[in-house]
Amino acid sequence: MKFGKRQLASLLGIAALPKGATAQSAAARNRILVVGVNADPAGLEPGANRAEPIGSEIILNVFDTLVAWTPPAFAQLEGRLARSWTVSGDGRVFTFALRPGVKFHDDTACDAAAVKFSLERTRDSNPFMRATFGLIDAIEVTGPLELRITLKEPMPVFLSLLAQPQAAIVSPAAVARHGAAFNVNPVGTGPFRFRSYRPDTDVVLDANPDYFRGAPRLARIIYRVIPDASTRRLELENGGLDLVQQNAQLAALPTQDVRALRGRAGIEVIEVPSQIIRQLEFNNSGLQGPLRDVRVRRAITHAIDYDGLLDGVLGGTADRVYGPLPSNSWAFDPAIRDLAPKYDVARARALLAEAGVQPGQLKLTLYSFQGSLWGAVATFIQANLAAVGIEATVAQTEFPALRALHVAGRFEVALDGRQPWYNDPDAHITIGYLSSLADSAMTFRMPADAALDALILRAQTTVDFEARKQLYFQVQRQIMDRVPAAWLFSNKLIVFKRANVKGLVVNSAPPLNEYHGVFKE
Amino acid sequence: MGGYALRRLAALLPVLFLVLVIIFHLTRFIPGDPAVTLLGPGATDVQIAALRAQLRLDEPMGMQFLSYLGGLLRGDLGVSLKTGAPVAQEILLRLPATIELSVLALLVAIVVGIPLGVVSAIRANTGFDHAVRLVSLLGVSMPAFLLALVLQLVFGIALGWLPISGRTSPFFLDDPVTGFAVIDGLINGDGEAAWDAFRHLLLPTTVLAAFLAATLGRFVRNTMLETMGEDYIRTARAKGLPERAVFFVHALRNSLLPAVTVVGLKFAEMLGGAILTETVFAWPGIGRFMFDAIRNRDYPVIQGATLVFALMFMLVSLAVDLIQALLDPRIRKRMAS
């Protein structure tokens, strides 16, 4: 007897029985978007959000902010709950007029009092926002749909922060009703209403037919939690997922998977430049031995084969970073492209010789995150350093442990990086290089440096856009003179989707997508 | 035997206490500070210190242990550092998924492994025996993640018969009743949901059961062959008992005793395997929950989940001992005394 597929199926008792959920009506399923994510959202509460990507994206689809970045360029802010706004000449007073007739999902009105309530709540309860929202002096309700926010000092980045999930406007009535459980019962004004959350399983959002910008085209979004990257890939290929984001770089799909999926029928890979920066950094406030000599640090920056890293190891999934800001930032100084170190083994050797470092004399431990991609980058750099006579030992370390080493300053060189959580050069420069923040997590641990600190703070607070840009040009050059790192690459934002998913505009800074205009063909 | 079971249950307490002491201190030796991990990049020293104080991580370890123990005596396993929810509630939410998977895998392993071992022994050195030995060798040596991937590729992608991951299809949104997906589907009168949940169980169960079934098959085959060489088997044959009675009444019962012990011991390994299986199949059980907790340095969750694993293992050991007593009158006699 020929033992075929059908016989095997009936032996297992599978073929004879109905296919269950998979048999659901195709039309209904075609209005449901299933998004694969690697972990649960850390929370759905703007008042506690710490820029964790999954929760942040859900918040931006359930809630609205006063302003938002305008797609597809995401270079200009547009009004959302705010119909219009003005900023005073000294950059301290922001006056907003709100859109009339907007209702929360619980049918209460979204007015100036709700905006005041939400922003004050985030200011008072979210430690992540203390440094920025702490500068809010007063929020005054000047009419049912009008309010005025006064800052203690100018903060040009303030509007940009108002577009972030932490500044989403919550329903005061729902907060009163749910208390601490608002975290898993979010109520906003957004295009999707929260329906359910099953830990380690899924978050389900239903369309809000009364959304003030028009009902979304999808009926439902299901965020499915699938921790394993290869399982996410199989589900995408099999149609179990419509969309997978590479939003957690530490749990990203290996580059060979990206290559494989690029050519797969029925799947589209969207790749856009991001503002992520990955670097090899020195322990700048605790430099030891030869690394104290700027020539030695500079030699290391010339020893690295940047193009080889981008093409060979990263397979075109990343762009070069030339300095402290990514090249798609509005504050990026184009002249930095020429100033950035180039791969030059002879120059690296000469600089080391000039500094009196003999081949084989300098031995370093190179810390890196875990994961095959980080391992490959670390090994590549290890080989680059060996070629100029520097002996590096790679230590791949679990994330919490590496962060602990970093905060305590117990390392010499480490691979590290930052994904800015708001769209402003300040997100890289102030947090990364201000010496007073040196002991915070994941900074460049810059030593006390009054001149550089003053320049950074001036750039942060200057209201005039052009003047501010010029100040950031200066900041970039000054930082580069000090050689605190070898800036390596910027991962592209990669979204894998089924070809029938249309209307998605990928946001690059930060990588949080809105699904209001998305639909399935 | 009831008295014996009670005595054994009472003896669980000191063992659990010991497990608790060890795991409490071990978790704190893992490098990495939960406060730093929770606050994310850009957190200042002051913020980290404030969170450490809020989570009471700044107290001496002895104090932390005593307050944890005090809570435990009141049935309070603490709150998750990551989500802020009570650990007991978080574990109870995920426990049914793990029990569903591991108990089913245990049953499958027994139902498949023991008969295969027996038939293999009866037909020792035949083609069937060689095939079983080959397959069981594969089952013992193949890493779970590889078997999982192969099964996903064959049954999920190539044949398209079974779901690749998850506990139910995301399109079923019924509220849980018991937490056991198949049973809930039946209670809700939703046959389709129950069938969907059952289909989702098949691949992870197979992966989890494979190792135990293979180990058990090999073990039962060997002990059966050993038993078949015993004098009392020769006696049984000599007095003219039919071969079926020799096998099933005399040989099998005696071979099963050590097999039951193996099941008990290997169940612990299987629980360890559940961590990996649950991750690969996106199964929302406590294995995966514990894995995430270790990555996040979520001490109370690590402690709570370890306690649950320890308890499950000890209960299975107890069950093994009781089953042995049922099978062996000598043990029953010892228990009574």
Side-chain angles (χ1 to χ4, degrees), chain B residues 21-322:
Chain B
V21 172
I22 294 171
I23 198 67
F24 186 90
H25 290 90
L26 267 187
T27 46
R28 278 150 184 83
F29 285 129
I30 319 173
D33 183 337
V36 176
T37 313
L38 285 171
L39 279 175
T44 62
D45 276 358
V46 179
Q47 288 171 343
I48 292 168
L51 186 61
R52 282 182 62 83
Q54 190 193 328
L55 301 174
R56 302 179 70 173
L57 295 168
D58 57 344
E59 289 177 4
M61 220 195 276
M63 281 297 292
Q64 288 184 45
F65 184 66
L66 283 181
S67 66
Y68 181 68
L69 209 59
L72 204 59
L73 291 177
R74 295 191 303 272
D76 176 9
L77 290 175
V79 293
S80 160
L81 301 185
K82 187 182 168 204
T83 63
V87 172
Q89 181 193 317
E90 296 267 21
I91 288 176
L92 280 178
L93 190 70
R94 292 162 175 91
L95 198 56
T98 298
I99 292 181
E100 195 172 55
L101 189 61
S102 51
V103 169
L104 192 66
L106 188 68
L107 290 178
V108 168
I110 292 171
V111 169
V112 173
I114 293 181
L116 279 184
V118 171
V119 178
S120 220
I122 294 173
R123 300 193 180 161
N125 297 319
T126 62
F128 178 84
D129 179 32
H130 293 316
V132 168
R133 283 164 69 189
L134 183 73
V135 170
S136 60
L137 188 65
L138 268 178
V140 171
S141 32
M142 200 178 208
F145 73 88
L146 185 62
L147 180 62
L149 193 62
V150 169
L151 291 179
Q152 284 174 326
L153 282 171
V154 172
F155 292 98
I157 302 270
L159 300 171
W161 290 347
L162 292 173
I164 296 167
S165 68
R167 198 169 168 221
T168 57
S169 149
F171 306 108
F172 286 109
L173 296 170
D174 293 337
D175 285 330
V177 185
T178 62
F180 295 93
V182 178
I183 297 172
D184 283 357
L186 295 174
I187 291 177
N188 288 332
D190 189 345
E192 227 183 317
W195 173 240
D196 172 71
F198 178 72
R199 278 162 39 89
H200 278 82
L201 261 170
L202 291 178
L203 291 188
T205 302
T206 309
V207 171
L208 208 53
F211 175 76
L212 186 57
T215 313
L216 211 52
R218 287 163 65 82
F219 190 80
V220 169
R221 176 188 178 275
N222 292 344
T223 45
M224 270 294 269
L225 285 177
E226 217 170 280
T227 315
M228 296 303 288
E230 295 285 341
D231 288 346
Y232 61 84
I233 296 291
R234 199 176 318 126
T235 311
R237 280 186 172 137
K239 67 181 185 185
L241 277 182
E243 201 62 0
R244 178 185 291 261
V246 173
F247 273 122
F248 293 107
V249 179
H250 294 271
L252 181 60
R253 192 164 177 180
N254 284 298
S255 308
L256 278 186
L257 272 175
V260 171
T261 312
V262 167
V263 169
L265 287 174
K266 292 290 170 186
F267 184 72
E269 274 179 52
M270 205 176 82
L271 286 180
I275 294 180
L276 194 75
T277 310
E278 288 181 358
T279 304
V280 174
F281 287 102
W283 195 264
I286 53 171
R288 184 177 136 201
F289 184 50
M290 188 173 172
F291 181 65
D292 284 343
I294 294 170
R295 277 198 310 194
N296 292 315
R297 306 291 187 266
D298 197 338
Y299 298 150
V301 171
I302 304 175
Q303 286 153 205
T306 310
L307 273 187
V308 170
F309 272 128
L311 198 63
M312 276 170 85
F313 179 54
M314 287 188 276
L315 289 177
V316 168
S317 299
L318 178 61
V320 163
D321 288 352
L322 296 178

Side-chain angles (χ1 to χ4, degrees), chain A residues 294 297-298 339 474-484 487:
Chain A
V294 73
R297 303 202 296 276
R298 191 160 279 137
L339 293 175
Q474 286 181 46
V475 169
Q476 288 167 77
R477 285 161 191 248
Q478 294 236 1
I479 291 173
M480 289 185 74
D481 286 345
R482 289 158 172 78
V483 197
W487 294 277

Side-chain angles (χ1 to χ4, degrees), chain A residues 175-245:
Chain A
V175 170
R177 199 165 51 247
H178 293 295
F182 187 77
N183 189 28
V184 284
N185 293 282
V187 178
T189 55
F192 293 91
R193 297 162 190 254
F194 171 81
R195 179 192 168 112
S196 62
Y197 167 46
R198 295 185 291 184
D200 291 347
T201 307
D202 53 22
V203 177
V204 181
L205 311 179
D206 281 343
N208 170 13
D210 307 322
Y211 186 50
F212 67 86
R213 292 197 293 149
R217 297 178 72 171
L218 293 167
R220 179 174 290 170
I221 303 177
I222 301 173
Y223 282 87
R224 270 192 73 194
V225 184
I226 303 180
D228 186 60
S230 71
T231 307
R232 286 199 298 277
R233 177 181 164 178
L234 291 178
E235 286 283 13
L236 178 74
E237 290 179 317
N238 211 28
L241 294 176
D242 295 309
L243 197 136
V244 177
Q245 294 182 27

Side-chain angles (χ1 to χ4, degrees), chain A residues 179-373:
Chain A
F182 187 77
N183 189 28
V184 284
N185 293 282
V187 178
T189 55
F192 293 91
R193 297 162 190 254
F194 171 81
R195 179 192 168 112
S196 62
Y197 167 46
R198 295 185 291 184
D200 291 347
T201 307
D202 53 22
V203 177
V204 181
L205 311 179
D206 281 343
N208 170 13
D210 307 322
Y211 186 50
F212 67 86
R213 292 197 293 149
R217 297 178 72 171
L218 293 167
R220 179 174 290 170
I221 303 177
I222 301 173
Y223 282 87
R224 270 192 73 194
V225 184
I226 303 180
D228 186 60
S230 71
T231 307
R232 286 199 298 277
R233 177 181 164 178
L234 291 178
E235 286 283 13
L236 178 74
E237 290 179 317
N238 211 28
L241 294 176
D242 295 309
L243 197 136
V244 177
Q245 294 182 27
Q246 200 74 312
N247 51 6
Q249 293 298 324
L250 291 172
L253 274 184
T255 45
Q256 59 265 34
D257 281 8
V258 179
R259 278 191 209 123
L261 286 170
R262 271 181 195 145
R264 190 64 49 90
I267 289 175
E268 281 173 16
V269 182
I270 306 177
E271 300 176 65
V272 296
S274 77
Q275 297 203 10
I276 298 167
I277 292 183
R278 303 293 182 211
Q279 72 271 352
L280 171 111
E281 70 195 10
F282 303 106
N283 180 8
N284 293 294
S285 60
L287 292 169
Q288 303 281 331
L291 288 178
R292 278 188 305 225
D293 190 327
V294 73
R295 288 171 297 187
V296 176
R297 303 202 296 276
R298 191 160 279 137
I300 289 177
T301 67
H302 283 291
I304 297 167
D305 177 5
Y306 299 95
D307 292 337
L309 189 61
L310 289 180
D311 297 334
V313 178
L314 299 164
T317 58
D319 299 310
R320 172 86 200 264
V321 171
Y322 300 93
L325 284 177
S327 18
N328 59 352
S329 164
W330 58 259
F332 175 71
D333 177 1
I336 297 280
R337 265 183 236 273
D338 298 323
L339 293 175
K342 292 178 181 59
Y343 175 47
D344 187 341
V345 174
R347 175 95 202 277
R349 286 200 184 121
L351 279 165
L352 286 172
E354 209 179 293
V357 177
Q358 303 303 316
Q361 183 191 335
L362 184 53
K363 293 181 173 58
L364 299 169
T365 301
L366 170 58
Y367 281 102
S368 157
F369 297 108
Q370 283 185 319
S372 57
L373 187 69

